[in-house]
Amino acid sequence: MKTLSIYVHIPFCVKKCNYCDFLSGVADGQKQEEYMQALLKEIEAESVKYKDYSVISVYIGGGTPSVVLPERIRDVMETVKAFYRLEEDAEISIEVNPGTVDKEALSVYRAAGINRLSIGLQSADNRELRLLGRVHTYEDFLQTYKYAWEAGFTNINIDIMSALPGQTLEDYGETLKRMLTLRPRPSHFSAYGLIVEEGTPFYELYGREKAQLVKTGEEQEHLPSEEEERKMYELTRQIFQTAGYQRYEISNYSYPGRECRHNLVYWKRGNYAGFGLGASSLVENTRFRNVSILKEYLERDCKIAEETCLSQKEQMEEFMFLGLRMIQGVQKEVFEKEFGIAMDEVYGKVLEENVKQGLLTDGASVALTDRGLDVANYVMAQFLL
């Protein structure tokens, strides 16, 4: 039987963070209720397309899904269970932020079948959290983490960020070290460098003028240099790998066997169906995306805004571009089996040049070297034909 992953988007949050360009925002209880009812109807209605699929993962993301009533999260899970073939050992994740969830809500999630949490910490430094526009403190995170274990969650991811305005290597190292003092330890970490995105408050302060600084009160905090950012990147690898975590993707570390199954589906171009505002899907090499305007989503019977059947060229590009994010890289045998042509015939010159520069390995698998990981975007862009 074919497999499928499900993504459920809940676009609400307490407050928009200063760096966030996700499709999310603040809404009152009535609007949240209207949205959740429309979301449940969409999940049910679309199920007829997936009768021949077995669901191996569900990911409830946002926004901050934990801002809606926990009973609505339970309703989502009950709808999925009722209308889809959910595997017994399916990975079922939900994103939560400290300060937006309590032990009772976490217990509702656990009883509904959710078995993995992703907690958005970002930093263990309260000054940095204020700068980011987060609504919680590090102490709030510690309480949420305690509640999560008490509610029965043993598979927990922590999100952290580096290259923040005014952040030194020592500051970032302190956040990493604090993560290793958690007991029990998390099974997974996602460690991302800050990207200043257009349309965010950070872009207004930094990106538009290319001024290399962010203003906070009377102070002006410089963003770390590329060299400082690279050192933070390397420090992440050193500290987590020494502690027994394996780096299995550019920005993700886990204990063996605790890799995020849902994200692996994305990077390996498996089938996934997205439900909710602006949610994207890839099913049998067709990409489609839902409408991204809330009013339209609530009023339209058909939620899909655009649909594209990928050409073989586009499929090959995605295979390389996404697959090289994984530390194990991509296998030549799998490429040839999927596309009916050898990888070397399509990308021979690109492979040869990057191997010569020490950026890629060569053999049965092609993967980024340590040097290649430092310039991953540059390498991967070369596979766009």
Side-chain angles (χ1 to χ4, degrees):
M1 177 173 285
K2 294 179 290 188
T3 60
L4 178 75
S5 289
I6 288 176
Y7 173 75
V8 179
H9 188 65
I10 298 178
F12 307 118
C13 51
V14 176
K15 172 182 173 292
K16 194 83 167 175
C17 294
N18 293 334
Y19 59 87
C20 180
D21 72 331
F22 293 160
L23 187 55
S24 60
V26 179
D28 60 27
Q30 180 179 346
K31 188 62 67 176
Q32 290 183 19
E33 184 67 19
E34 289 178 29
Y35 177 83
M36 293 304 297
Q37 293 305 317
L39 177 63
L40 294 174
K41 289 179 181 178
E42 182 195 5
I43 295 172
E44 178 181 344
E46 292 297 300
S47 66
V48 296
K49 299 178 182 178
Y50 303 110
K51 294 300 184 184
D52 297 329
Y53 291 81
S54 178
V55 176
I56 61 173
S57 71
V58 178
Y59 194 101
I60 304 172
T64 306
S66 49
V67 302
V68 303
L69 293 172
E71 291 77 16
R72 295 298 167 264
I73 301 298
R74 181 182 60 202
D75 291 343
V76 167
M77 288 308 306
E78 288 180 350
T79 303
V80 169
K81 291 175 184 177
F83 293 96
Y84 295 80
R85 192 189 301 268
L86 186 64
E87 292 193 355
E88 287 188 12
D89 66 343
E91 175 194 270
I92 305 174
S93 306
I94 187 170
E95 295 177 347
V96 302
N97 278 346
T100 66
V101 66
D102 55 22
K103 187 176 179 180
E104 182 179 351
L106 289 165
S107 296
V108 172
Y109 298 165
R110 194 70 190 91
I114 296 172
N115 52 34
R116 184 178 184 273
L117 287 184
S118 183
I119 305 177
L121 169 61
Q122 314 312 347
S123 172
D125 184 301
N126 286 334
R127 182 197 70 84
E128 292 177 353
L129 290 173
R130 288 192 297 272
L131 181 68
L132 290 170
R134 304 294 287 178
V135 297
H136 64 85
T137 64
Y138 181 59
E139 291 70 31
D140 292 331
F141 161 77
L142 292 175
Q143 188 65 69
T144 298
Y145 191 74
K146 178 175 179 288
Y147 286 156
W149 280 93
E150 290 176 350
F153 287 96
T154 59
N155 192 3
I156 300 175
N157 167 67
I158 308 297
D159 283 344
I160 54 177
M161 296 179 69
S162 61
L164 306 181
Q167 187 181 58
T168 66
L169 184 63
E170 292 71 25
D171 294 335
Y172 179 60
E174 185 60 31
T175 285
L176 294 176
K177 291 173 185 176
R178 287 189 177 188
M179 294 301 93
L180 298 185
T181 66
L182 297 171
R183 293 294 183 275
R185 281 185 176 173
S187 54
H188 192 288
F189 288 99
S190 295
Y192 298 96
L194 172 69
I195 299 175
V196 178
E197 300 284 5
E198 190 169 355
T200 65
F202 268 15
Y203 186 82
E204 293 297 318
L205 293 166
Y206 160 69
R208 178 171 294 173
E209 301 300 330
K210 311 296 182 187
Q212 296 283 331
L213 53 83
V214 172
K215 190 173 183 180
T216 57
E218 296 301 316
E219 300 178 356
Q220 291 186 338
E221 301 282 10
H222 289 269
L223 292 173
S225 66
E226 288 187 6
E227 178 61 19
E228 290 171 319
E229 187 172 358
R230 189 195 64 77
K231 289 180 179 178
M232 292 178 186
Y233 193 71
E234 177 60 20
L235 184 63
T236 307
R237 185 188 66 80
Q238 291 175 356
I239 288 181
F240 283 154
Q241 289 189 347
T242 299
Y245 294 90
Q246 62 179 5
R247 185 186 192 183
Y248 70 98
E249 190 268 346
I250 289 177
S251 302
N252 286 272
Y253 299 79
S254 75
Y255 282 141
R258 290 296 199 176
E259 301 87 350
C260 180
R261 188 186 306 176
H262 192 82
N263 284 345
L264 286 173
V265 170
Y266 288 148
W267 298 321
K268 293 182 177 181
R269 299 187 70 254
N271 295 313
Y272 57 89
F275 303 120
L277 188 70
S280 297
S281 305
L282 174 66
V283 180
E284 308 303 340
N285 289 312
T286 296
R287 287 199 176 277
F288 46 100
R289 182 181 59 80
N290 277 359
V291 296
S292 56
I293 297 174
L294 183 57
K295 187 174 185 293
E296 288 187 23
Y297 180 81
L298 296 177
E299 294 177 352
R300 286 178 54 167
D301 290 331
C302 177
K303 310 300 184 186
I304 296 176
E306 59 184 45
E307 183 172 325
T308 305
C309 184
L310 299 178
S311 65
Q312 185 178 60
K313 170 180 172 292
E314 291 170 325
Q315 293 172 42
M316 289 190 294
E317 289 175 345
E318 288 189 356
F319 181 96
M320 301 300 297
F321 190 90
L322 295 174
L324 284 173
R325 291 191 61 88
M326 297 179 292
I327 300 304
Q328 68 179 14
V330 292
Q331 293 183 312
K332 291 184 176 180
E333 181 180 356
V334 174
F335 183 96
E336 185 167 359
K337 181 178 180 181
E338 186 159 341
F339 301 115
I341 186 171
M343 186 186 294
D344 288 336
E345 289 188 45
V346 182
Y347 293 111
K349 290 183 179 179
V350 175
L351 294 173
E352 182 181 355
E353 183 60 29
N354 282 275
V355 169
K356 186 186 300 182
Q357 294 181 37
L359 303 177
L360 286 176
T361 64
D362 192 19
S365 294
V366 175
L368 292 165
T369 63
D370 287 342
R371 279 189 61 200
L373 286 166
D374 287 339
V375 290
N377 288 337
Y378 162 75
V379 178
M380 293 187 294
Q382 296 176 60
F383 290 91
L384 302 179
L385 297 172

